[in-house]
Amino acid sequence: MSFESYIPSGPIEQKWDNYKAEQKLVNPANKRKYKVIVVGTGLAGSAAAASLAELGYNVSAFTYHDSPRRAHSIAAQGGINAAKNYQNDGDSVWRLFYDTVKGGDFRAREANVYRLAQVSESIIDQCVAQGVPFAREYGGYLSNRSFGGAQVSRTFYARGQTGQQLLIGAYQALSRQIGLGKVTMHNKNEMMDLIVVNGKARGIVTRDLVTGKIESHIADAVLLCTGGYGNVFYLSTNAMNCNVTAAYRAYKKGAFFGNPCYTQIHPTCIPVSGDYQSKLTLMSESLRNDGRIWVPKTQGEARGAAEIPETERDYYLERKYPSFGNLSPRDIASRAAKEACDDGRGVGPGGKGVYLDFADAINRLGQSTIEERYGNLFEMYERITGENPYKVPMRIYPAVHYTMGGLWVDYELMSTIPGLFVLGEANFSDHGANRLGASALMQGLADGYFVIPYTLANYFAKGGIEKIDTSIKEVRDAQQQSTEKIQSLLSINGKRTPTSFHRELGKIMWDKCGMARNEKGLSEALIEIPALREEFWQNLTVPGSGEQLNQSLEVANRVADFLEFSELMVRDAVERRESAGGHFREEYQTPDGEAKRNDEEFSYVAAWEYKGEGSKPELHKEQLEFENVKLATRSYK
Amino acid sequence: MNLRLHIWRQTGPSDHGMLRAYNVNNVSEHMSFLEMLDVLNEELIEKGEEPVAFDHDCREGICGTCGMVINGRPHGPLSRTTACQLHMRSFKDGDEIYIEPWRATAFPIVRDLVVDRSAFDRVIQRGGFVSVNTGNAQDGNAIPISKIDADVSMDAAACIGCGACVAACPNSSASLFVAAKIGHLVALPQGKAEAATRAMSMVLSMDAEGFGSCTNHYECEAACPKGISADFIAQMNREFMKSVF
Ligand SMILES: Cc1cc2nc3c(=O)[nH]c(=O)nc-3n(C[C@H](O)[C@H](O)[C@H](O)COP(=O)(O)OP(=O)(O)OC[C@H]3O[C@@H](n4cnc5c(N)ncnc54)[C@H](O)[C@@H]3O)c2cc1C
Ligand code: FES
């Protein structure tokens, strides 16, 4: 097991170049002899699978979706960052790097972030070449907008559907390779386990969701591009099927899990409307370019928004953070909303909402400009709430959105299991304790298009990967365990549905490990979660069989992992006795309620090692060195 | 509100399938249509019955996973709205609602409301892309693209690949889907180099997959949750003719 970040030598500006100059290569004729398994075909996975196939590797890709085009990446709305400085407004690779490290509350690894900022420019070029219809100005040049946590305009976008267009670009590149026979695509196949042979990742066990068939696939390297685990909270902005299973099972096979407690709560989502609620809908951060956030100044205000005069409104972000205003970073904006609502000044049912108001922007720019910029988001809002946001302000509330935590990886994106690489939201790498808007799409594509093609070659060229086939014990055992797991889920014959457990777990997590956390609540969660898990294994019911499409079985299989993983998250949240970014421990705050870091003791990445069922996981620490950015209290005032 | 649902149940591709009736009570107008089905499914599971299989994921109208014919209309009564974005305020107490899968030869039924749409992927694999390898690209601003062209391209690229166009068409044609891809790419300079081969091979592959041909019913345009215009079909036909001659 290796737990070393392998950051290349040299000044930060030269590290990636130095790496590329010194790395080992695989000669073109040999590439097809290497088989690579890519699990997940969102932005990270599709980009990686396509790029590796173009290079000549023998690629197999897997997704539980019926097509790669359905991955959760498709739902990203607002945009993708890149340090192009097309606006001439002072942007640079350095500034994107700096903003990201600061935005992450100084809990990210500098070298990775710098590389991300460097390759960001190539991403835009690549996407334009693929035919991504980015927004353009009348002169024909690419248009930009602003996102939170930055004072430059560096976000590229395609209406309110940026993720869709980027994923379609990557999907088309992947489809081209499938058509050429360079990628074997396995849709509707869910990874059940990782196969580890002699300490190296050598394959996966999958279940065909239509036939129920459980199979083993072996390879020379495995790439996990399986997305984030925000659905551990049940209600989140993630697509319904997002889950932690692939990452968690790799963790159980020896991959360390990095910073599991770092979750992002997005400030602008449509509030919960009832118990039946199945997911939450994001209203893109880009809306904060033109929308103003406010609550009434007085508690228990009964008047509608229109009747409340200007002087009786509290534009709290503009008041508290004048230099960033409505574009303050997500963690800060979310907490400020919670604070206002906890103070009894929230609006809408249950007082769990704040206004996002476009009246000023409509007066200034005209309704048609606002429609052009955000038309589809306004429509979406109206469809869900039945209210017209051109006439009355939107009501929004924070919701779980993204997970900065993920499997721990080194500079090469390799986990602690040699041969297991982790890309995109599934890894922990670049966003520290808080991700800035429009940076996840950038990171997923950076990992897939521009990092893994280099670092994977270095791994292969080092050699030492022996020939194996599916008849060996490790493979048979892994397959057997997966088969038994499915059988056991089907044979409990209790009374409760898989979703009912998921919902209950989500409530525990939101109440005790959500936007604000404290020792007491976390300790309670550490008792409640195992109890719920026990009930799950005694009282679950899953109708139907394992030999055909069985959606409750799929849910049950994923919820089983959430019920274990959640405990790891809580443990991590307990251990991190400081507040940093999205991790707000109530015990550690400044007098004016801001997150209070403790750099002396907690300037590290928490990397958790699985120690077997019933044993406590072991915490390893990767000390973070800040050589280029000065550690400072994050201020957006 | 209380509703009576008639839902298509079919255990697998070889089963015959039939409509079965279910009552759902106390439905809130704020629920989405799929949340209403969730409520039914939870009740069925608790009774030990198999829930209704239906596809869904984002529940935001963007992934294209959901798809069902509701009272005879793909995605239901609201125009430009996917089934997942339809809310129960579009219905009223006592309504009878018929829910069926997409029906088309090229989309075999997997189970209940779930169909196999992999034919769409195969059509894309035959040319729905720009042949550029990672790393080949020049600067993103090197070729200015007029805002008008970029907007037209985006109008077509908004397709979510749900298959409602096929389900709505009396001939089960995939013309709108294929035309949207051709229209997305041909509007941009990057997509022009391969325009002829793309049109040719995508159109031929659409036929080979068993989709019917277009006889100008425009049902596809009416059913498309993204409002993609049937004008793209005329453009596709022109591109196809150009590729033949
Ligand atoms: C509503 C919303 C809006 C967003 N907007 C933005 C934005 O504007 N800008 C931005 O930068 N970021 C945004 N984000 C974040 C960003 O979209 C995601 O972080 C990013 O797309 C994740 O990409 P990915 O490739 O890592 O994973 P995903 O796109 O989640 O893909 C995961 C893939 O893994 C597969 N998979 C998972 N588990 C298994 C398994 N066990 N077996 C087989 N396959 C598996 C899935 O099928 C899927 O193909 C947004 C997120 C949300 C929720
Ligand atoms: S579930 Fe994604 S479009 Fe309906």
Side-chain angles (χ1 to χ4, degrees):
Chain A
M1 200 105 355
S2 113
F3 183 57
E4 159 76 54
S5 51
Y6 295 113
I7 296 169
S9 59
I12 193 139
E13 298 83 0
Q14 288 165 22
K15 284 184 192 294
W16 183 229
D17 287 341
N18 289 349
Y19 177 88
K20 288 192 286 186
E22 285 162 23
Q23 72 160 116
K24 294 196 168 64
L25 299 173
V26 177
N27 112 24
N30 281 339
K31 287 202 179 84
R32 71 188 156 76
K33 294 183 193 152
Y34 288 100
K35 181 157 180 199
V36 185
I37 284 178
V38 179
V39 190
T41 46
L43 282 180
S46 290
S51 304
L52 295 172
E54 287 161 8
L55 286 168
Y57 294 106
N58 179 356
V59 179
S60 287
F62 296 81
T63 167
Y64 57 66
H65 286 102
D66 71 341
S67 160
R69 68 181 295 150
R70 314 253 186 247
H72 166 60
S73 294
I74 201 101
Q77 301 169 349
I80 175 166
N81 287 331
K84 281 284 196 187
N85 193 30
Y86 284 155
Q87 305 303 328
N88 198 28
D89 59 356
D91 201 7
S92 61
V93 167
W94 177 268
R95 194 171 287 275
L96 175 53
F97 158 70
Y98 177 83
D99 287 348
T100 308
V101 172
K102 176 183 169 194
D105 216 354
F106 306 92
R107 290 293 175 262
R109 195 190 283 150
E110 277 191 341
N112 284 54
V113 178
Y114 198 88
R115 175 180 64 192
L116 174 66
Q118 280 176 304
V119 303
S120 69
E121 299 186 47
S122 310
I123 296 172
I124 301 304
D125 301 341
Q126 186 63 31
C127 295
V128 168
Q130 289 170 344
V132 170
F134 282 121
R136 303 243 164 200
E137 303 294 346
Y138 280 98
Y141 293 96
L142 290 159
S143 176
N144 289 118
R145 54 167 57 141
S146 306
F147 255 61
Q151 287 172 313
V152 294
S153 274
R154 62 160 77 97
T155 306
F156 295 79
Y157 62 100
R159 292 197 190 141
Q161 292 121 278
T162 316
Q164 178 196 29
Q165 294 311 314
L166 297 177
L167 182 62
I168 295 292
Y171 158 73
Q172 288 174 185
L174 172 60
S175 295
R176 176 172 159 240
Q177 296 304 314
I178 298 170
L180 292 169
K182 302 278 177 60
V183 175
T184 313
M185 187 68 224
H186 302 262
N187 293 330
K188 283 270 180 200
N189 264 273
E190 182 143 354
M191 169 178 158
M192 300 287 295
D193 208 351
L194 181 73
I195 296 170
V196 179
V197 181
N198 290 337
K200 291 198 170 82
R202 294 305 306 271
I204 59 171
V205 179
T206 57
R207 177 168 182 274
D208 183 315
L209 300 180
V210 177
T211 63
K213 192 157 182 234
I214 293 179
E215 280 182 315
S216 301
H217 305 266
I218 53 173
D220 300 295
V222 176
L223 275 49
L224 287 195
C225 314
T226 47
Y229 51 84
N231 277 350
V232 67
F233 292 91
Y234 184 65
L235 286 182
S236 85
T237 63
N238 288 9
M240 297 292 290
N241 294 306
C242 292
N243 66 82
V244 76
T245 291
Y248 190 69
R249 296 198 181 169
Y251 160 76
K252 283 176 106 173
K253 282 287 167 85
F256 290 5
F257 212 106
N259 297 330
C261 82
Y262 286 164
T263 35
Q264 176 160 82
I265 315 281
H266 196 294
T268 55
C269 303
I270 301 179
V272 177
S273 72
D275 300 336
Y276 48 79
Q277 189 106 17
S278 59
K279 74 158 291 193
L280 295 170
T281 302
L282 174 78
M283 288 284 103
S284 168
E285 176 156 313
S286 60
L287 292 168
R288 293 200 269 145
N289 272 284
D290 290 305
R292 299 179 68 197
I293 294 179
W294 63 277
V295 290
K297 278 189 180 161
T298 43
Q299 293 172 338
E301 174 65 72
R303 290 172 292 181
E307 283 97 63
I308 303 175
E310 216 32 54
T311 50
E312 292 173 42
R313 300 177 174 192
D314 179 12
Y315 294 89
Y316 57 83
L317 287 177
E318 296 172 24
R319 171 172 60 77
K320 290 172 74 169
Y321 309 103
S323 55
F324 284 71
N326 292 298
L327 283 173
S328 299
R330 292 178 175 176
D331 52 339
I332 289 180
S334 290
R335 264 193 314 272
K338 179 177 190 297
E339 215 175 272
C341 296
D342 289 352
D343 187 34
R345 297 186 294 137
V347 299
K352 288 256 186 283
V354 301
Y355 289 126
L356 177 62
D357 195 339
F358 291 87
D360 285 354
I362 292 173
N363 281 337
R364 192 174 69 240
L365 305 162
Q367 178 157 334
S368 63
T369 306
I370 295 301
E371 219 174 294
E372 161 112 339
R373 287 187 190 162
Y374 314 110
N376 66 324
L377 297 171
F378 277 49
E379 272 175 36
M380 179 142 90
Y381 182 86
E382 184 166 1
R383 261 192 226 110
I384 294 174
T385 62
E387 291 174 1
N388 176 352
Y390 293 104
K391 302 225 161 70
V392 293
M394 287 184 180
R395 281 177 299 107
I396 51 159
Y397 196 68
V400 174
H401 179 58
Y402 180 87
T403 49
M404 282 74 69
L407 290 176
W408 182 91
V409 290
D410 63 15
Y411 188 74
E412 296 187 300
L413 303 183
M414 190 152 86
S415 70
T416 49
I417 302 176
L420 177 69
F421 294 80
V422 191
L423 284 66
E425 191 173 339
N427 73 26
F428 89 101
S429 71
D430 297 344
H431 309 292
N434 173 56
R435 174 176 70 82
L436 291 182
S439 287
L441 301 181
M442 168 172 73
Q443 182 226 328
L445 290 180
D447 290 357
Y449 285 136
F450 296 110
V451 179
I452 197 71
Y454 295 88
T455 60
L456 186 64
N458 197 44
Y459 173 70
F460 285 150
K462 282 187 201 151
I465 305 170
E466 48 199 285
K467 278 230 158 324
I468 57 165
D469 62 46
T470 49
S471 66
I472 63 172
K473 185 170 181 310
E474 288 88 339
V475 177
R476 282 183 287 121
D477 283 354
Q479 185 164 332
Q480 182 59 23
Q481 277 164 15
S482 297
T483 310
E484 283 164 11
K485 179 122 195 187
I486 292 294
Q487 276 317 318
S488 54
L489 288 166
L490 284 165
S491 55
I492 301 169
N493 294 323
K495 296 219 157 35
R496 284 184 65 179
T497 69
T499 303
S500 77
F501 285 102
H502 194 181
R503 207 186 285 271
E504 189 174 336
L505 174 67
K507 189 165 177 348
I508 299 175
M509 294 303 285
W510 179 249
D511 290 345
K512 310 214 154 135
C513 195
M515 242 190 300
R517 305 155 172 188
N518 59 50
E519 186 107 29
K520 179 168 169 286
L522 293 168
S523 323
E524 287 163 8
L526 282 179
I527 295 167
E528 291 166 27
I529 295 167
L532 185 63
R533 191 167 59 228
E534 203 175 309
E535 192 195 340
F536 176 89
W537 286 106
Q538 279 164 13
N539 198 20
L540 174 76
T541 178
V542 179
S545 84
E547 277 81 55
Q548 59 183 159
L549 184 75
N550 185 339
Q551 294 174 324
S552 347
L553 178 60
E554 292 167 31
V555 175
N557 183 45
R558 295 166 189 165
V559 172
D561 288 327
F562 278 136
L563 282 165
E564 293 184 24
F565 170 73
S566 50
E567 197 177 321
L568 181 68
M569 255 177 98
V570 173
R571 235 175 249 294
D572 187 41
V574 173
E575 286 300 321
R576 191 163 282 281
R577 293 185 173 81
E578 65 162 352
S579 293
H583 170 67
F584 190 73
R585 280 284 299 263
E586 286 169 343
E587 303 94 320
Y588 310 101
Q589 50 180 308
T590 62
D592 50 355
E594 304 291 346
K596 195 165 150 203
R597 287 198 329 261
N598 177 346
D599 294 333
E600 290 277 290
E601 288 177 72
F602 292 96
S603 190
Y604 63 75
V605 177
W608 293 88
E609 181 183 7
Y610 183 69
K611 284 287 180 191
E613 214 167 313
S615 310
K616 275 197 184 152
E618 185 180 341
L619 173 62
H620 301 263
K621 299 175 182 175
E622 177 197 340
Q623 210 56 43
L624 291 168
E625 310 294 340
F626 291 91
E627 291 167 354
N628 299 277
V629 176
K630 231 177 75 207
L631 279 165
T633 301
R634 210 161 57 125
S635 166
Y636 292 92
K637 292 201 162 152
Chain B
M1 63 184 97
N2 297 335
L3 302 166
R4 187 153 176 86
L5 308 179
H6 303 269
I7 306 180
W8 187 261
R9 301 302 309 257
Q10 179 171 343
T11 50
S14 52
D15 175 35
H16 277 305
M18 59 172 194
L19 282 169
R20 281 190 52 188
Y22 301 90
N23 294 326
V24 222
N25 298 330
N26 301 320
V27 172
S28 148
E29 57 164 19
H30 296 296
M31 274 183 189
S32 72
F33 194 82
L34 300 190
E35 284 168 346
M36 183 272 296
L37 288 180
D38 290 343
V39 169
L40 169 69
N41 275 346
E42 290 289 288
E43 285 173 15
L44 290 177
I45 299 174
E46 279 168 7
K47 282 194 280 187
E49 289 176 41
E50 293 196 51
V52 180
F54 65 91
D55 261 339
H56 65 96
D57 199 22
C58 73
R59 298 203 174 186
E60 290 189 6
I62 191 73
C63 71
T65 310
C66 67
M68 51 190 81
V69 177
I70 302 170
N71 288 340
R73 292 190 58 179
H75 291 301
L78 280 195
S79 74
R80 302 196 57 176
T81 304
T82 52
C84 62
Q85 290 210 290
L86 182 64
H87 279 68
M88 297 313 291
R89 64 181 73 89
S90 295
F91 299 87
K92 57 179 193 321
D93 188 41
D95 273 358
E96 305 242 349
I97 307 177
Y98 289 82
I99 311 171
E100 293 172 81
W102 289 168
R103 299 208 187 265
T105 320
F107 289 166
I109 292 180
V110 176
R111 181 165 204 181
D112 299 340
L113 306 173
V114 178
V115 300
D116 176 354
R117 288 168 288 194
S118 52
F120 270 7
D121 281 338
R122 290 189 294 272
V123 174
I124 298 292
Q125 288 155 17
R126 297 270 80 82
F129 46 73
V130 174
S131 297
V132 54
N133 284 357
T134 303
N136 276 356
Q138 56 179 346
D139 185 82
N141 258 346
I143 311 175
I145 300 174
S146 86
K147 183 170 182 325
I148 297 163
D149 290 343
D151 283 348
V152 169
S153 175
M154 183 63 217
D155 289 343
C159 169
I160 58 173
C162 63
C165 48
V166 177
C169 176
N171 309 332
S172 300
S173 168
S175 289
L176 191 60
F177 170 77
V178 178
K181 186 47 57 200
I182 289 174
H184 157 207
L185 294 173
V186 83
L188 302 169
Q190 289 81 3
K192 288 211 162 69
E194 295 170 284
T197 48
R198 176 181 309 119
M200 169 74 91
S201 65
M202 287 184 78
V203 169
L204 293 180
S205 119
M206 162 169 79
D207 295 344
E209 289 291 345
F211 293 107
S213 50
C214 171
T215 49
N216 300 321
H217 288 271
Y218 300 109
E219 296 289 344
C220 52
E221 186 183 86
C224 177
K226 297 294 132 178
I228 292 174
S229 161
D231 292 349
F232 286 112
I233 298 180
Q235 183 192 31
M236 171 175 77
N237 293 336
R238 286 196 302 277
E239 292 294 327
F240 181 73
M241 291 317 278
K242 275 199 267 175
S243 75
V244 177
F245 297 106

